[in-house]
Amino acid sequence: MSEQDERHPDDVQQHLREVQELLARHKVVEDLVHRQDMPRHELVENLVHKQHVAELQAKLDSLHPADIAYILEALPLEDRLFVWDLVKAERDGDILLEVSDAVRESLIETMDPHELKAAAETLDADELADLAPDLPPEVMLDVFQSLDSEEREQLRAAMSFPEESVGALMDFDMVTVREDVTLEVVLRYLRRFDELPDHTDKLFVIDREDHLKGILTLESLLINDPEMVVGEVMHKENVISFEPEDEADDAAQAFERYDLVSAPVIDAEKRVIGRLTVADVVDYIREESEHEILSHAGLREEEDIFASVWDSVKNRWAWLAINLVTAFIASRVIGAFEGSIEKLVALAALMPIVAGIGGNSGNQTVTMIVRAIAMGQVEQTAMQRLMRKEMGVAVVNGLVWGGLLGLLAWFLYGSASLGAVMTAAMTLNLLLAACAGVLIPMVRLRFGADPAMGGSVLITALTDSGGFFIFLGLATLFLL
Amino acid sequence: MSEQDERHPDDVQQHLREVQELLARHKVVEDLVHRQDMPRHELVENLVHKQHVAELQAKLDSLHPADIAYILEALPLEDRLFVWDLVKAERDGDILLEVSDAVRESLIETMDPHELKAAAETLDADELADLAPDLPPEVMLDVFQSLDSEEREQLRAAMSFPEESVGALMDFDMVTVREDVTLEVVLRYLRRFDELPDHTDKLFVIDREDHLKGILTLESLLINDPEMVVGEVMHKENVISFEPEDEADDAAQAFERYDLVSAPVIDAEKRVIGRLTVADVVDYIREESEHEILSHAGLREEEDIFASVWDSVKNRWAWLAINLVTAFIASRVIGAFEGSIEKLVALAALMPIVAGIGGNSGNQTVTMIVRAIAMGQVEQTAMQRLMRKEMGVAVVNGLVWGGLLGLLAWFLYGSASLGAVMTAAMTLNLLLAACAGVLIPMVRLRFGADPAMGGSVLITALTDSGGFFIFLGLATLFLL
């Protein structure tokens, strides 16, 4: 990190610390001024203060937009807005694209329509489409009017595709060539560019009507004799292309499977309309996995860690409400057996074990099935086989762990029949968990819903209420 | 998909279905033969059978190794091994690299040392290092001896780095050039290659001692005048490079942040020793997020969906055992209050609600904190601020949801004081959950442990036992 001319993965944290230090020094001056009751405008005039701000600004100017985004996310709201004000206006657009949704909202709130329009105008059509949902409609309208007709068309196209589709991820930057020219001509053509679009690892070979004829990788362009013709060296077979309606998930898997850097997006007539790059795919994969992890814990979206208590409550309340309902139902199941518990209070102490282990085991099953479905490796026909296996696992676990707990219950409460009820209830609840764990995602899949959604909530609700019911029911039948 | 010359993201599922169909047809013949008690060798001679096998083999030969891996993962063990036998031996290595760990084990088990050695010898040093842990030691020794000294050195280097480091992800394929030659010379040099390493978007500019002097992107090579000298057009500043000891996580974030396709890996003296590509990074991100999702549900590793019951039990038992212990402790907490429950049996029905909501709320907190720590955006200094916020959220949720439940309890059991105890217990347990949710990952971070590990287990254990203790304790103090 001592080398000035090199960037290192930890650098962004170093940058963050430097910015925090500059902010702290700035605050010391401000505090001093405040305590001496110096009027605000004198503070602004203050030389030391000016120097700190200039230093901070210089630091920010030297940073990559993604690094500034990272720093903004890591700063409390007040510092964040102070830094945001110091960022050069022409970089606003790029940075807004990089920050998380929650932080983006906090930044956009402080910008006036004029600033927002200026920021939006620095962006490409596909980037604009990403930002559009967060911009006030009047700003979007203004921006739209300032675009030329080709960009308008692109923006309209990019915004017309659902969020999880290839169309929403694609960009419109690409280099196309004809198949009847020599590589020498292509090389000369490329020299007229000031820069190539990001992630250009291949040129798209098209005919007069934009139909995709093949791809010319930069590799083939570089290793082949310049006298050769594009049509001779281009790849015609096994060209991986996407349609804008394809699911982003499938495209991400294809990028991963075939190690792609970029790929053409074509319409139904095989006309090239855009391009998908690995950068978009990586962002998508990261967002998806984050979304999955967050929704596992019942968080609606990534939280700005410096969000207000109120914003956090809003982000989390839905899950807690659902949980309250399921917990309440489970509680009523217990309520129905209050008579039994009164007679044998040991039941109250043992029942949460049956419910808890069932929930955990069910979650293991559902996680595994959902992953297999997501990979497209489970067909409805495999259901019977999976069900048999999961039942087998449930019986083994039920007998082993349930048996162990039965022995413990016997030892603690001196009742062999209580132990037997415990073992039976555990086994039955694990079987219930296994069935539900296979059936819930499979049924959701058959009805075309996302198999992952809410599986864990449903399982836990079932195994809680079911566990209480089975255990207390068996106890009432056999022990009282 | 009607076009023969195009690959489409859904194709792999189409391939899978075709292979399954061919297998099914093959089995019909086998069944027929079996029912007629035809000896096995006659089946092999059978013409129809031969034709099916040939068709299947032709299909497999046409597929990308990653697609074959996908198909192998989706087939039950028996079919999987049948298909595996039909795959050309020289592709075995590539396919073994692509399949999941569990499936790889199942394939390697059936191969003899000779086949394994042949498969391993088709791989590069960095790929070999990935496969090494799964190969029998005697095979590895054989392979090692067949390598030349440079490859041995690379293999040794690749295997010496921990799994989560840049060193473990890097490869050794790269093109290097000197800074004092013209672009024309570089272009001529590249034409001598039969192919460039995958993901070559930049050449590394080095001096005689392999020190990194800069990078020459293919873009600058292509858009600049061939008469220019490499030193003039190469990037010297803001070159992003990694060291093999760097954490893979940081490297992945840098690839994502700066949209990299490849980057040099250098040693402490700035000598180029390898290269990191986006393909390795994408695989790493995918594996990490999968690992996170699986370990959330307490699965040790990705499960082969056609694994035996016994393998599945082994994959899942550790989590269930831990859960059993925590559930048992919670059960003993309840046991300590059996006298109170005997007197007021409503407590038994209400207590799981207090524990459950606490656990869910704590998991929300811990998920958020772990994510923020993983991004490097939370320093120890931010702990106080986060703690205050989480406490605030807990108090709001406790009063709102706890209050609602208190009213329900009052209504159900006709006791206002029971309702008040319910509300108080909910609020206290949510506060406990918030503290633990912030402290557990923070403390793990301070002691250098992975902040994510087991946070959810600990939280649930605490809020279960704590919730029962707080609720039953308050009830014993104020209601009895």
Side-chain angles (χ1 to χ4, degrees):
Chain A
M1 225 98 27
S2 55
E3 319 268 347
Q4 259 303 338
D5 62 341
E6 227 170 277
R7 239 187 235 169
H8 202 264
D10 290 347
D11 271 12
V12 64
Q13 276 162 52
Q14 179 65 28
H15 297 322
L16 173 58
R17 273 189 294 273
E18 279 172 41
V19 169
Q20 280 171 332
E21 219 167 87
L22 285 166
L23 282 168
R25 271 196 269 158
H26 159 70
K27 261 186 221 149
V28 170
V29 178
E30 215 172 28
D31 265 16
L32 216 70
V33 172
H34 190 70
R35 252 181 282 148
Q36 296 171 348
D37 273 333
M38 197 191 283
R40 179 87 199 165
H41 69 266
E42 283 185 38
L43 162 67
V44 177
E45 302 293 310
N46 184 298
L47 256 177
V48 187
H49 172 264
K50 261 190 180 168
Q51 194 191 325
H52 288 155
V53 170
E55 221 173 309
L56 191 52
Q57 202 150 24
K59 176 78 200 166
L60 292 171
D61 286 348
S62 75
L63 293 178
H64 190 282
D67 289 342
I68 300 183
Y70 178 92
I71 289 170
L72 289 170
E73 286 174 7
L75 292 177
L77 194 62
E78 188 196 346
D79 290 348
R80 182 186 296 160
L81 297 180
F82 183 76
V83 168
W84 182 235
D85 267 346
L86 295 181
V87 170
K88 283 220 181 85
E90 71 258 31
R91 309 183 73 191
D92 284 0
D94 283 331
I95 296 169
L96 284 177
L97 279 179
E98 299 276 353
V99 292
S100 70
D101 288 352
V103 172
R104 186 187 295 160
E105 262 173 54
S106 76
L107 297 178
I108 285 182
E109 264 173 29
T110 68
M111 296 172 74
D112 61 38
H114 179 75
E115 286 174 306
L116 280 172
K117 181 163 177 272
E121 279 171 357
T122 61
L123 301 176
D124 290 339
D126 62 301
E127 297 169 330
L128 209 46
D130 293 341
L131 206 55
D134 293 322
L135 292 177
E138 68 273 18
V139 171
M140 266 317 284
L141 216 66
D142 265 12
V143 173
F144 190 73
Q145 277 165 347
S146 71
L147 297 177
D148 65 34
S149 68
E150 190 194 351
E151 286 171 324
R152 280 185 199 189
E153 206 36 66
Q154 289 176 346
L155 178 58
R156 231 189 313 244
M159 289 184 65
S160 68
F161 295 107
E163 224 181 301
E164 311 275 281
S165 72
V166 166
L169 295 184
M170 69 180 178
D171 64 49
F172 304 98
D173 286 339
M174 53 199 164
V175 181
T176 55
V177 293
R178 291 284 156 77
E179 60 179 318
D180 54 0
V181 300
T182 62
L183 299 185
E184 182 60 46
V185 171
V186 175
L187 287 169
R188 259 189 283 129
Y189 172 60
L190 291 181
R191 274 181 212 125
R192 302 208 319 244
F193 281 79
D194 290 327
E195 55 175 9
L196 298 181
D198 288 341
H199 295 93
T200 299
D201 69 322
K202 49 178 72 94
L203 312 180
F204 304 153
V205 184
I206 57 173
D207 65 14
R208 253 167 234 285
E209 280 83 37
D210 286 350
H211 294 114
L212 184 66
K213 307 307 284 183
I215 55 166
L216 177 68
T217 60
L218 294 193
E219 181 188 30
S220 356
L221 178 63
L222 288 166
I223 63 176
N224 283 300
D225 184 344
E227 298 304 313
M228 292 182 82
V229 172
V230 169
E232 294 175 297
V233 299
M234 73 180 187
H235 294 263
K236 284 188 287 272
E237 275 164 45
N238 288 336
V239 170
I240 298 162
S241 63
F242 301 93
E243 292 181 20
E245 295 81 13
D246 287 339
E247 281 186 36
D249 247 347
D250 292 333
Q253 279 180 31
F255 263 74
E256 195 189 346
R257 202 176 300 126
Y258 308 122
D259 293 341
L260 302 176
V261 173
S262 75
V265 179
I266 57 176
D267 65 13
E269 277 91 49
K270 286 199 67 181
R271 275 190 302 254
V272 177
I273 53 173
R275 189 182 66 134
L276 202 56
T277 68
V278 69
D280 299 322
V281 168
V282 169
D283 287 347
Y284 174 79
I285 292 177
R286 187 70 95 171
E287 267 168 36
E288 278 304 286
S289 73
E290 227 145 75
H291 183 76
E292 193 168 344
I293 288 162
L294 292 174
S295 64
H296 256 283
L299 295 160
R300 206 160 44 81
E301 57 178 32
E302 183 116 28
E303 226 168 83
D304 176 357
I305 48 172
F306 300 105
S308 66
V309 167
W310 181 237
D311 282 338
S312 296
V313 168
K314 275 195 294 184
N315 193 30
R316 307 182 193 178
W317 80 270
W319 182 261
L320 289 179
I322 292 171
N323 248 284
L324 212 69
V325 173
T326 62
F328 187 73
I329 294 172
S331 159
R332 292 329 300 147
V333 172
I334 301 173
F337 290 96
E338 274 174 6
S340 309
I341 294 172
E342 232 163 1
K343 284 186 212 139
L344 186 58
V345 75
L347 299 180
L350 295 175
M351 67 188 183
I353 304 182
V354 177
I357 306 285
N360 280 299
S361 174
N363 269 315
Q364 293 184 330
T365 302
V366 92
T367 301
M368 213 208 58
I369 305 277
V370 164
R371 290 221 62 76
I373 290 178
M375 295 296 296
Q377 289 169 325
V378 175
E379 316 251 329
Q380 297 281 354
T381 51
M383 191 156 111
Q384 254 192 327
R385 186 192 285 265
L386 280 173
M387 189 65 104
R388 266 202 312 273
K389 184 185 112 183
E390 291 301 321
M391 296 295 230
V393 174
V395 168
V396 171
N397 280 332
L399 293 179
V400 172
W401 301 117
L404 188 68
L405 277 175
L407 287 176
L408 271 171
W410 183 2
F411 171 77
L412 279 169
Y413 295 98
S415 156
S417 49
L418 179 61
V421 163
M422 185 83 192
T423 307
M426 277 277 286
T427 310
L428 288 176
N429 200 31
L430 288 178
L431 282 171
L432 173 68
C435 284
V438 175
L439 282 177
I440 291 173
M442 285 290 195
V443 168
R444 293 189 72 97
L445 177 68
R446 179 162 299 176
F447 288 105
D450 177 0
M453 270 282 292
S456 150
V457 193
L458 270 175
I459 283 281
T460 312
L462 255 174
T463 51
D464 271 5
S465 296
F468 292 139
F469 180 78
I470 292 170
F471 178 60
L472 297 174
L474 287 179
T476 306
L477 278 178
F478 295 107
L479 301 181
L480 303 175
Chain B
M1 223 97 32
S2 55
E3 318 269 348
Q4 259 302 339
D5 62 343
E6 229 168 275
R7 239 187 235 170
H8 204 263
D10 291 348
D11 271 12
V12 63
Q13 277 162 50
Q14 179 64 27
H15 297 322
L16 172 59
R17 275 188 294 272
E18 280 174 41
V19 169
Q20 281 171 333
E21 218 166 89
L22 286 166
L23 281 169
R25 272 195 269 157
H26 159 70
K27 263 185 221 151
V28 170
V29 177
E30 216 171 30
D31 265 16
L32 217 69
V33 172
H34 190 71
R35 253 180 281 149
Q36 296 170 348
D37 273 334
M38 195 191 284
R40 177 88 199 164
H41 69 266
E42 280 184 39
L43 162 67
V44 178
E45 301 294 309
N46 185 296
L47 255 178
V48 187
H49 173 263
K50 262 191 180 166
Q51 193 191 327
H52 287 155
V53 170
E55 219 173 310
L56 191 52
Q57 201 149 26
K59 176 78 199 163
L60 292 172
D61 287 348
S62 75
L63 293 179
H64 190 282
D67 289 342
I68 300 183
Y70 177 92
I71 288 170
L72 288 171
E73 287 174 6
L75 292 176
L77 194 62
E78 189 194 344
D79 290 347
R80 182 185 296 160
L81 297 181
F82 184 76
V83 168
W84 182 235
D85 267 348
L86 296 180
V87 170
K88 284 221 180 83
E90 71 259 31
R91 308 184 72 191
D92 283 1
D94 282 331
I95 296 169
L96 283 177
L97 279 179
E98 298 276 355
V99 292
S100 69
D101 288 352
V103 173
R104 186 187 296 160
E105 262 173 52
S106 76
L107 297 177
I108 286 183
E109 264 173 28
T110 67
M111 296 171 75
D112 61 39
H114 179 75
E115 286 174 307
L116 280 173
K117 182 163 177 274
E121 280 172 356
T122 61
L123 300 177
D124 290 338
D126 62 301
E127 296 169 331
L128 209 47
D130 292 342
L131 206 56
D134 293 322
L135 293 177
E138 67 274 18
V139 171
M140 266 318 285
L141 216 66
D142 266 10
V143 174
F144 191 73
Q145 277 166 348
S146 71
L147 297 177
D148 64 34
S149 67
E150 192 194 350
E151 287 171 324
R152 280 186 199 189
E153 204 38 64
Q154 290 176 346
L155 178 58
R156 232 192 309 248
M159 289 184 65
S160 68
F161 295 108
E163 223 181 301
E164 309 276 281
S165 71
V166 165
L169 296 184
M170 69 180 178
D171 64 48
F172 304 97
D173 286 339
M174 53 200 165
V175 182
T176 55
V177 292
R178 291 285 155 78
E179 61 179 318
D180 53 1
V181 300
T182 63
L183 298 185
E184 182 59 47
V185 172
V186 175
L187 287 169
R188 259 189 283 132
Y189 171 61
L190 291 181
R191 273 181 214 128
R192 303 208 318 244
F193 281 80
D194 290 326
E195 56 175 9
L196 299 181
D198 288 341
H199 296 92
T200 298
D201 69 323
K202 48 178 72 90
L203 313 180
F204 303 153
V205 185
I206 57 172
D207 64 14
R208 252 167 233 287
E209 281 84 37
D210 286 349
H211 294 115
L212 184 66
K213 307 306 286 182
I215 55 165
L216 176 69
T217 60
L218 294 193
E219 181 189 30
S220 0
L221 178 62
L222 287 166
I223 64 176
N224 284 298
D225 183 347
E227 298 304 313
M228 292 182 82
V229 173
V230 168
E232 293 176 297
V233 300
M234 73 180 186
H235 295 264
K236 283 188 288 272
E237 276 165 43
N238 289 338
V239 170
I240 297 163
S241 64
F242 301 93
E243 294 181 19
E245 294 82 13
D246 288 339
E247 281 186 36
D249 247 347
D250 291 333
Q253 280 180 30
F255 263 75
E256 195 189 348
R257 202 176 299 125
Y258 308 122
D259 293 341
L260 302 176
V261 172
S262 73
V265 179
I266 57 176
D267 65 12
E269 276 91 50
K270 288 197 65 180
R271 276 190 301 251
V272 177
I273 53 173
R275 189 182 67 133
L276 202 57
T277 69
V278 70
D280 299 322
V281 168
V282 168
D283 287 347
Y284 174 80
I285 292 177
R286 189 68 97 167
E287 268 168 36
E288 278 304 287
S289 74
E290 227 146 74
H291 183 77
E292 195 168 343
I293 288 162
L294 292 174
S295 63
H296 256 282
L299 296 161
R300 206 159 45 81
E301 57 178 34
E302 183 114 31
E303 225 167 82
D304 176 357
I305 49 173
F306 300 104
S308 66
V309 167
W310 181 235
D311 282 337
S312 295
V313 168
K314 274 195 294 181
N315 193 30
R316 307 182 193 178
W317 79 270
W319 182 261
L320 289 179
I322 292 170
N323 248 284
L324 211 70
V325 173
T326 63
F328 187 72
I329 294 171
S331 158
R332 291 332 297 147
V333 172
I334 301 173
F337 290 96
E338 274 174 6
S340 309
I341 294 172
E342 232 162 3
K343 284 186 210 137
L344 186 58
V345 76
L347 298 180
L350 295 174
M351 65 187 184
I353 305 182
V354 177
I357 307 284
N360 279 299
S361 173
N363 269 316
Q364 293 184 330
T365 303
V366 91
T367 300
M368 215 207 57
I369 305 276
V370 164
R371 290 221 63 75
I373 290 179
M375 295 296 295
Q377 288 169 326
V378 176
E379 315 250 330
Q380 296 283 352
T381 51
M383 190 156 111
Q384 255 193 326
R385 184 193 286 265
L386 280 172
M387 188 64 103
R388 267 202 312 272
K389 184 186 112 184
E390 290 302 320
M391 297 294 230
V393 174
V395 169
V396 172
N397 279 333
L399 294 179
V400 172
W401 300 117
L404 188 68
L405 276 176
L407 286 175
L408 271 171
W410 183 3
F411 171 77
L412 278 170
Y413 296 97
S415 156
S417 49
L418 180 61
V421 163
M422 185 84 194
T423 307
M426 279 276 285
T427 309
L428 287 176
N429 201 30
L430 288 179
L431 282 172
L432 172 68
C435 284
V438 175
L439 282 177
I440 290 173
M442 285 290 196
V443 168
R444 294 189 72 96
L445 177 66
R446 180 163 298 174
F447 287 105
D450 177 0
M453 271 282 293
S456 152
V457 193
L458 269 175
I459 284 281
T460 311
L462 254 173
T463 51
D464 271 5
S465 296
F468 292 139
F469 181 79
I470 291 169
F471 178 60
L472 296 175
L474 288 178
T476 307
L477 278 179
F478 295 106
L479 300 181
L480 303 176

